[in-house]
Amino acid sequence: MIYSSELIKGTLKTIVLKLLADNKKMYGYEITQRVKELTFDRIQITEGALYPTLHALESDGLVTTETEYIGKRVRKYYSLSPSGKNKTKEKVSELADFMETMKFLLDIKPKTA
Amino acid sequence: MIYSSELIKGTLKTIVLKLLADNKKMYGYEITQRVKELTFDRIQITEGALYPTLHALESDGLVTTETEYIGKRVRKYYSLSPSGKNKTKEKVSELADFMETMKFLLDIKPKTA
DNA sequence: CAAAGATACATAAGAAAATTATGTATTTGA
DNA sequence: TCAAATACATAATTTTCTTATGTATCTTTG
């Protein structure tokens, strides 16, 4: 079972930031594979969604990049900047908080019947 | 603190369906107020988001409507159809499942210091 | 050794879903 | 009486993702 894509909306940036916080530096393709692994294939980040997100994080100054060559193939590593680290803490705790709220909302039992 | 709007994206339909499951019938404005109450003002559904969502649920056959007049003012009540009840169960359990996965993702600790 | 599949980047067109703004109208409360 | 709350609705814009496409290299397998 794969989560309907609408659920991933709004959480992608947070997922990426958190992975970078946990791993110091990662490249795009690696991120897609790691998320796939960690979620047992239930969340699959597409490249069309990921790369624009990474570029946005970079232009917001939340990540820095370094390019490496593996043979002739280019690989672009992303790392959190200091402000990226702060942003990650904010985003992760906001999402955790939000999930508590949602859990509460979804647990409410009917008054009627 | 109000959750950043991107977090609400993708969960709105599920929230609305779940509220209708718990309350048999509700009208739009009531839904916005109920969500505000239940979340201590942290989730505020705007009318521009809610009404199109309700109309979509209706055209998908997930809810039925009945119009009532309170004085001269119109009030449009929404109720779940049988297929809406099934859909609600699906959506709620998918979201609950998704939140477990996200919780796991966000809890992962750094390997590197 | 050729071909398929995996690795690795990127961007553009289109779709989906929300935000923001606007509009109408009634009712309530200060 | 006048502002705020109640109650609906829609349109323009923005944001964000999907889908499609493009390029290129490396690895595995028949």
Side-chain angles (χ1 to χ4, degrees):
Chain A
M1 183 261 308
I2 295 170
Y3 297 123
S4 69
S5 61
E6 54 182 33
L7 282 182
I8 287 95
K9 284 176 207 280
T11 60
L12 178 56
K13 199 178 288 187
T14 306
I15 291 172
V16 170
L17 288 172
K18 172 63 174 160
L19 275 184
L20 290 177
D22 287 358
N23 295 281
K24 289 222 153 147
K25 72 177 193 176
M26 295 183 86
Y27 55 98
Y29 186 77
E30 187 184 14
I31 293 175
T32 65
Q33 299 308 303
R34 186 68 58 85
V35 171
K36 204 164 170 276
E37 263 174 51
L38 289 172
T39 64
F40 305 97
D41 293 10
R42 283 181 293 224
I43 296 180
Q44 295 186 16
I45 297 177
T46 59
E47 296 170 290
L50 179 65
Y51 291 116
T53 296
L54 287 171
H55 300 161
L57 290 175
E58 189 178 9
S59 76
D60 287 347
L62 301 175
V63 299
T64 57
T65 62
E66 39 184 322
T67 296
E68 214 169 84
Y69 279 86
I70 307 297
K72 282 180 185 170
R73 196 152 56 187
V74 75
R75 191 181 274 178
K76 201 166 161 190
Y77 279 99
Y78 291 84
S79 312
L80 290 183
S81 68
S83 68
K85 287 181 191 176
N86 285 329
K87 192 69 166 182
T88 303
K89 281 180 200 160
E90 279 174 36
K91 289 292 230 173
V92 168
S93 80
E94 190 196 2
L95 181 47
D97 193 313
F98 176 71
M99 290 194 301
E100 284 307 305
T101 296
M102 283 305 300
K103 204 172 165 185
F104 172 68
L105 262 190
L106 299 184
D107 271 351
I108 293 166
K109 295 298 182 301
K111 296 174 184 176
T112 50
Chain B
M1 185 258 310
I2 295 171
Y3 298 123
S4 70
S5 61
E6 55 182 33
L7 283 182
I8 287 93
K9 285 176 207 279
T11 60
L12 178 56
K13 199 179 286 186
T14 306
I15 292 173
V16 170
L17 287 172
K18 172 64 175 160
L19 274 184
L20 290 178
D22 287 357
N23 294 281
K24 291 222 151 143
K25 70 177 195 175
M26 296 184 85
Y27 54 99
Y29 186 76
E30 187 184 14
I31 292 174
T32 66
Q33 298 308 303
R34 186 67 60 84
V35 171
K36 204 163 171 277
E37 263 174 51
L38 289 172
T39 64
F40 304 97
D41 292 11
R42 284 181 291 224
I43 297 179
Q44 296 188 16
I45 298 177
T46 58
E47 294 170 293
L50 180 65
Y51 290 117
T53 296
L54 287 171
H55 299 160
L57 290 175
E58 190 179 8
S59 76
D60 287 346
L62 300 176
V63 299
T64 57
T65 61
E66 40 183 322
T67 296
E68 213 170 83
Y69 279 88
I70 307 297
K72 282 178 184 173
R73 195 153 53 187
V74 76
R75 190 180 274 179
K76 199 165 158 190
Y77 279 99
Y78 291 83
S79 310
L80 290 183
S81 68
S83 68
K85 288 182 191 175
N86 286 329
K87 192 70 168 180
T88 302
K89 281 179 201 161
E90 279 173 37
K91 288 291 229 175
V92 168
S93 80
E94 190 196 4
L95 180 47
D97 192 313
F98 176 71
M99 290 194 302
E100 285 307 306
T101 295
M102 283 304 300
K103 204 172 164 183
F104 171 68
L105 263 189
L106 299 185
D107 272 349
I108 293 167
K109 295 299 182 298
K111 295 175 184 174
T112 48

